[in-house]
Amino acid sequence: MAQQFDHLTAITAELLHLSDDLRIREVQSERWVHYPRAKAALAAMDRLAAHPRTTRMPSLAIYGDSGMGKTMLMKKFCEFTLRSSIRARASSASRCCRSS
């Protein structure tokens, strides 16, 4: 029986042991797919976020049909930026505490 599911990742195979309701909920939840264009867009957004503040800031337009992932791209960027900001602050705080 295990051979029947060899094509699944270990994390996905673990879902097989859940109830039908939990598996359905998991399947219906949002997924992030690392497409090359999404990766490039995130990198461009990251460069823009790191740009020094000026009176004429560069910008980026992201367009596409409905359901193509524009909002999810922004959510992913905000999530990554927030995590990076928290890590940077924690690192800064730990350096500050060590020096005292």
Side-chain angles (χ1 to χ4, degrees):
M1 182 147 172
Q3 290 177 343
Q4 183 179 358
F5 303 112
D6 286 346
H7 63 288
L8 300 176
T9 64
I11 293 171
T12 304
E14 290 175 14
L15 299 176
L16 297 173
H17 305 291
L18 300 176
S19 68
D20 289 348
D21 289 339
L22 289 175
R23 283 198 319 271
I24 290 168
R25 182 181 174 101
E26 185 65 28
V27 167
Q28 292 175 338
S29 65
E30 289 187 340
R31 297 272 184 270
W32 175 255
V33 179
H34 295 278
Y35 288 113
R37 285 199 167 182
K39 186 177 179 180
L42 287 170
M45 292 163 68
D46 196 41
R47 284 191 304 275
L48 289 174
H51 190 279
R53 293 197 182 268
T54 63
T55 55
R56 299 201 64 172
M57 294 292 290
S59 61
L60 175 69
I62 296 180
Y63 62 93
D65 291 336
S66 179
M68 293 292 107
K70 298 176 300 292
T71 301
M72 186 170 273
L73 184 67
M74 283 303 301
K75 286 180 180 179
K76 189 72 171 175
F77 174 73
C78 291
E79 176 186 309
F80 174 77
T81 303
L82 178 62
R83 269 192 266 132
S84 295
S85 176
I86 289 170
R87 277 195 302 267
R89 277 187 268 157
S91 176
S92 176
S94 86
R95 282 192 304 267
C96 178
C97 292
R98 282 192 302 242
S99 65
S100 28

